[in-house]
Amino acid sequence: MREITHFIDGVAVTGSSGRYGDVFNPNTGEVQARVQLATAAEVDRAVQAALVAQVGWAQVNPQRRARVMFDFKRLIERDMDALAEILSSEHGKVIADSKGDIQRGLEVIEFACGIPHVLKGEYTEGAGPGIDIYSMRQPLGVAAGITPFNFPGMIPMWMFGIAIATGNTFILKPSEKDPTLPVKLAELMMEAGAPAGVLNVVHGDKVAVDAILDHPDIRAVSFVGSSDIAHYVYSRGTAAGKRVQAMGGAKNHGVILPDADLDQAVKDIIGAAYGSAGERCMALPVVVPVGKATADGVRERVLAELQTLKVGISTDPAAQYGPVVSQAHKQKISDYIQMGVDEGAELVVDGRGFSLQGYEQGFFIGPSLFDQVKPAMRTYQEEIFGPVLQIARVETFEEALHLPSAHQYGNGVAIFTRNGRAAREFAQRVNVGMVGINVPIPVPVAYHSFGGWKRSAFGDVNQHGVEGVRFYTKVKTVTARWPEGAVEDSAFVIPTMK
Ligand code: NAD
């Protein structure tokens, strides 16, 4: 069986823990490889390599670091087809969606190509008599990233793209469910000219994560995953004195006002709810139509769309989504569907019986639709992370605004309307971090930044863009003067700028 090894100091390193994780082919349900799960000593080996590499890497001027990013981008574009195939084969998302996953990461690399401009710092001439002040952003040292299964291309690049461009070296602990692509990315970074030790990949589970969180030489940890683990990572990492950003789960709402273009809004919501089998933190699993006529219109159109929605294997170009990542996750989604029924929601379409001929053991689940979903239901409050759309009917704009605002998660939200004033008010008042106006998946482009609110993110600084640069750098401010002439008296009073 194929064995997936760590990548430390520029070479494949065979782990010694004797512990492995199964890597499935979600289309067939078969185990296709096993991934080594690291010990704390193996994490430390990666940190030592990163520490040594960081000294030299921080000395490389920003323009040359950016050149590595330019070359990395070119190599990913060269290998895009093969990389997308690897991603799909372990994750289960369809090839076109895997290319989108990698492309969104690549956009952060494109931002990182402009790092010399972003790192220029600030300067004040004549801040005092003969005194100039300048500030600079310096790398932290060794940083680490812990990533989820659902974006094995994009999310690692969110992190190491900015960290490495700003002069840090990096330890990536990718999801053990789809670990092959992250290793390929590290190999391509070496091919692009990053010195050995600049990007290391250590596979693992809680043992590796705890070793990262406790390691005294790792200065910053970026995490993306589910909220309970995000909170744990944030608490333990900050208690160890690290800078931590920890993005968590989501339950994004799509509000539809009565004046919206319903045909377009429903098409948008279908893609956002069921694309990637709902396994996106920016999926739109809750639709909130305002008024009965809107709700009935949405339900009728969603039902019509579901008649033609095609679920298939990840290499089927006609498939709109593929299998979910594991049997355990398929079971969890099925359990949530049953819970919804037991809680009294109306199950309009049940995807549990779905089976694909020739792939009966694959982790497929058909699209499901609930109506009459109420805020008190657990299936509303919790993240299902599957191809399940829930209609939560409300009567007024205020109620529609209240639902996402009061929800425990606050990652993304969308409003569909033709009324600019209502959209503007919604965007201003809603208690959620990323808002779409007639945009169903409002993932900000790379030069803005990504981050939710409430239990969707712990920590103060978002991913990528200028926020990402702030996360991976610290400011140093220099106050300088060049005295001449007579020696001045000591000053015992704090200097001020009177
Ligand atoms: P997960 O929390 O199970 O795993 C994320 C990472 O944490 C993995 O690397 C995993 O190995 C590690 N991990 C798992 N259990 C751990 C434990 N007990 N202790 C320490 N580390 C542990 O998440 P997942 O299932 O891989 O990904 C799906 C989740 O990620 C969803 O909740 C989704 O909403 C969320 N997500 C959030 C964002 C965002 O930006 N907010 C983006 C993508 C995914």
Side-chain angles (χ1 to χ4, degrees):
M1 173 151 325
R2 183 167 64 95
E3 204 152 294
I4 300 160
T5 57
H6 311 299
F7 185 81
I8 299 174
D9 211 9
V11 292
V13 170
T14 302
S16 60
S17 72
R19 296 190 309 117
Y20 299 90
D22 286 336
V23 178
F24 289 93
N25 175 346
N27 292 309
T28 62
E30 287 161 2
V31 177
Q32 59 161 310
R34 60 180 196 167
V35 58
Q36 299 170 353
L37 303 176
T39 60
E42 283 152 358
V43 171
D44 181 58
R45 181 171 168 180
V47 176
Q48 297 313 321
L51 272 173
V52 171
Q54 205 269 329
V55 177
W57 185 240
Q59 305 295 319
V60 173
N61 71 55
Q63 205 162 356
R64 290 185 64 179
R65 293 201 300 259
R67 271 184 212 138
V68 172
M69 294 298 165
F70 275 109
D71 283 346
F72 180 60
K73 169 179 152 61
R74 188 177 48 77
L75 295 174
I76 293 217
E77 284 164 350
R78 180 195 71 188
D79 293 354
M80 178 62 99
D81 289 345
L83 297 172
E85 256 176 54
I86 291 169
L87 196 167
S88 286
S89 77
E90 293 183 355
H91 178 286
K93 63 175 83 173
V94 295
I95 296 281
D97 202 26
S98 290
K99 288 185 178 172
D101 180 332
I102 296 167
Q103 180 58 33
R104 284 310 294 252
L106 211 46
E107 290 168 11
V108 174
I109 301 301
E110 286 167 351
F111 173 80
C113 290
I115 212 70
H117 177 72
V118 185
L119 284 180
K120 277 190 309 200
E122 293 176 332
Y123 186 87
T124 301
E125 182 190 23
I131 294 179
D132 303 323
I133 298 189
Y134 59 96
S135 63
M136 55 188 119
R137 292 205 157 263
Q138 295 190 328
L140 302 178
V142 178
I146 301 160
T147 53
F149 81 84
N150 70 324
F151 279 99
M154 175 181 82
I155 294 178
M157 284 191 266
W158 278 2
M159 298 174 180
F160 75 69
I162 307 290
I164 292 175
T166 50
N168 301 277
T169 52
F170 204 78
I171 317 288
L172 174 63
K173 204 304 283 172
S175 169
E176 63 277 33
K177 296 190 179 109
D178 43 14
T180 301
L181 180 70
V183 177
K184 292 281 173 211
L185 297 179
E187 288 169 356
L188 290 178
M189 276 292 288
M190 300 299 114
E191 193 179 337
V198 165
L199 176 56
N200 307 277
V201 181
V202 176
H203 302 291
D205 53 6
K206 184 172 174 7
V207 173
V209 170
D210 287 351
I212 287 171
L213 295 175
D214 296 344
H215 202 294
D217 292 321
I218 294 179
R219 302 281 171 229
V221 176
S222 181
F223 173 91
V224 177
S226 53
S227 288
D228 286 348
I229 312 288
H231 187 245
Y232 168 77
V233 164
Y234 183 75
S235 307
R236 188 160 172 161
T238 51
K242 299 182 198 320
R243 197 176 277 191
V244 182
Q245 54 178 190
M247 277 57 194
K251 188 88 176 188
N252 307 321
H253 295 54
V255 169
I256 306 188
L257 297 190
D259 68 352
D261 176 345
L262 269 196
D263 292 333
Q264 185 61 56
V266 168
K267 288 229 180 262
D268 288 344
I269 282 172
I270 290 284
Y274 298 109
S276 196
E279 293 172 318
R280 288 186 188 136
C281 68
M282 288 297 271
L284 215 52
V286 181
V287 56
V288 185
V290 176
K292 183 172 184 315
T294 314
D296 291 346
V298 166
R299 175 175 165 150
E300 187 189 317
R301 286 170 176 79
V302 170
L303 272 173
E305 292 284 336
L306 293 189
Q307 302 301 314
T308 55
L309 197 156
K310 184 164 169 19
V311 182
I313 56 167
S314 52
T315 48
D316 177 355
Q320 276 143 331
Y321 75 80
V324 299
V325 72
S326 66
Q327 179 60 34
H329 192 51
K330 178 180 169 178
Q331 188 58 48
K332 184 177 155 198
I333 296 164
S334 301
D335 291 348
Y336 267 120
I337 293 174
Q338 186 55 45
M339 188 191 295
V341 173
D342 297 342
E343 288 179 319
E346 182 192 354
L347 182 58
V348 185
V349 179
D350 184 355
R352 286 176 294 180
F354 181 88
S355 175
L356 196 65
Q357 203 181 358
Y359 296 89
E360 287 78 7
Q361 301 307 311
F363 309 140
F364 294 95
I365 185 155
S368 298
L369 176 67
F370 276 106
D371 197 354
Q372 306 296 344
V373 172
K374 306 292 179 208
M377 294 177 178
R378 259 188 71 190
T379 46
Y380 168 77
Q381 291 164 359
E382 296 175 10
E383 181 183 42
I384 299 175
F385 219 56
V388 182
L389 179 61
Q390 298 170 291
I391 301 178
R393 294 169 177 243
V394 296
E395 288 305 322
T396 64
F397 174 86
E398 286 298 324
E399 283 176 84
L401 177 67
H402 176 74
L403 277 186
S405 297
H407 202 280
Q408 63 163 331
Y409 295 117
N411 216 37
V413 69
I415 183 165
F416 297 88
T417 178
R418 290 183 168 104
N419 182 335
R421 191 205 53 74
R424 183 171 185 273
E425 181 176 349
F426 183 87
Q428 278 186 328
R429 290 175 60 198
V430 73
N431 187 19
V432 171
M434 292 174 279
V435 182
I437 297 175
N438 299 314
V439 172
I441 306 183
V443 177
V445 293
Y447 44 95
H448 284 261
S449 70
F450 182 104
W453 289 2
K454 298 180 282 183
R455 275 181 60 76
S456 292
F458 303 91
D460 308 310
V461 186
N462 280 355
Q463 299 277 352
H464 64 70
V466 173
E467 291 261 304
V469 173
R470 291 203 179 107
F471 183 74
Y472 289 111
T473 57
K474 55 195 172 192
V475 178
K476 183 178 282 178
T477 308
V478 179
T479 303
R481 72 171 178 151
W482 303 96
E484 58 180 6
V487 173
E488 294 171 18
D489 284 343
S490 305
F492 292 94
V493 175
I494 179 84
T496 60
M497 290 296 155
K498 268 197 180 155

